[in-house]
Amino acid sequence: MVTTAKEEDGKDSGIVDCKRILFLEDTVIVTVRVGSGEEAKSWAIHKGLLTRHSPFFAAALNGFFKESTSNVVELIEDSPEAFKLFVQWLYTGDLAPNDLAPGTKGLARIACLAWALGDKLQCPVFQDRAMLQLIAYHQDQWLTGKTMRLIYHVSPPGSKLRSFAVDVVCYDEILDQRPGIGVDGIMAVEDFNRDLLEHLVNFNCKANPCDDGSRYLKVLDFEKNKVVRDMK
């Protein structure tokens, strides 16, 4: 099944920014297949948008790979949920509020997978959008041990996503002394132990990570782009 930036239920996920497609030099439509098995989904997307915003797609579609002639790209190891957000960001410049509204099941997981997808596709702005959602989520929800382990599974050493995860534990569990995820929930991850020790020795986390998210962003300005959740 092929979908576009429009939701499968027929509802628009966001307002398309016409300026993002109006002056595209390459209006060829590319099929991107994401995931595997019954969960796999396909999207029909403007090639010009993909190659403009993603060096990964630019190399695949404009290089000497088979995708440059077939105009079909397969991402079998990636999450359709995360790629859905990427498509919405391509066409609207933002992430769909309906998919990341307070109370959305698995919101933190989706945001982490979106960040990891942005890392693979080399889209720092999309990564920052995902990170802003994760920061906003933590303002009123705990990051579970399961989410922490996912973060370490999908992100490379030294990444801003891992830095946020460690800062959350440092502040919530140690500095603020609030019962959150419980350090035991992630202590089995060797890289986390090393990062936590380094943060404690250097006293890197001196404030609530949600108050100054700029250190976790690559290109966007935190104050101008931070997400304010309406919990009413």
Side-chain angles (χ1 to χ4, degrees):
M1 180 178 182
V2 177
T3 57
T4 62
K6 180 171 285 189
E7 299 282 356
E8 291 178 8
D9 60 8
K11 297 179 181 179
D12 287 329
S13 56
I15 300 175
V16 174
D17 185 351
C18 294
K19 291 183 292 185
R20 294 175 79 88
I21 60 176
L22 186 60
F23 300 108
L24 287 178
E25 295 182 1
D26 194 336
T27 58
V28 171
I29 299 298
V30 172
T31 298
V32 182
R33 298 169 182 162
V34 186
S36 60
E38 295 182 355
E39 301 299 321
K41 293 185 179 180
S42 296
W43 280 265
I45 310 172
H46 286 88
K47 178 181 177 180
L49 271 183
L50 289 170
T51 57
R52 173 188 295 175
H53 294 285
S54 168
F56 173 91
F57 280 114
L61 296 169
N62 292 332
F64 298 99
F65 300 100
K66 64 179 182 179
E67 289 84 357
S68 63
T69 54
S70 67
N71 285 324
V72 176
V73 180
E74 295 188 353
L75 303 174
I76 60 175
E77 297 181 352
D78 296 295
S79 162
E81 290 177 294
F83 195 80
K84 175 183 178 182
L85 294 181
F86 176 72
V87 175
Q88 292 165 348
W89 171 77
L90 274 180
Y91 282 93
T92 69
D94 207 343
L95 300 187
N98 292 336
D99 289 328
L100 294 171
T104 299
K105 184 178 180 180
L107 187 153
R109 177 183 63 83
I110 297 172
C112 290
L113 291 175
W115 187 97
L117 178 67
D119 191 49
K120 176 177 181 175
L121 302 182
Q122 301 172 273
C123 298
V125 176
F126 177 67
Q127 281 186 284
D128 283 356
R129 291 293 180 193
M131 178 61 77
L132 287 166
Q133 292 291 341
L134 189 61
I135 293 172
Y137 171 86
H138 185 59
Q139 290 174 352
D140 47 69
Q141 300 286 335
W142 297 115
L143 294 182
T144 65
K146 185 176 181 180
T147 299
M148 291 291 191
R149 290 190 292 273
L150 174 64
I151 287 174
Y152 268 76
H153 178 69
V154 302
S155 62
S159 68
K160 292 182 179 295
L161 184 58
R162 287 192 181 189
S163 180
F164 175 71
V166 176
D167 283 351
V168 163
V169 173
C170 284
Y171 183 81
D172 290 351
E173 300 283 346
I174 300 173
L175 297 183
D176 204 35
Q177 296 185 347
R178 294 183 297 174
I181 67 166
V183 176
D184 293 342
I186 192 176
M187 287 298 286
V189 180
E190 183 177 348
D191 286 351
F192 172 79
N193 295 331
R194 183 193 63 242
D195 291 346
L196 179 61
L197 178 61
E198 181 180 331
H199 272 57
L200 291 175
V201 169
N202 297 323
F203 201 51
N204 286 343
C205 185
K206 302 177 182 179
N208 187 339
C210 294
D211 291 340
D212 180 17
S214 58
R215 51 190 156 168
Y216 313 115
L217 303 181
K218 293 187 174 183
V219 291
L220 293 181
D221 181 279
F222 177 69
E223 291 300 324
K224 293 181 179 179
N225 294 278
K226 64 182 178 180
V227 177
V228 179
R229 294 198 178 281
D230 183 1
M231 297 304 295
K232 296 182 179 180

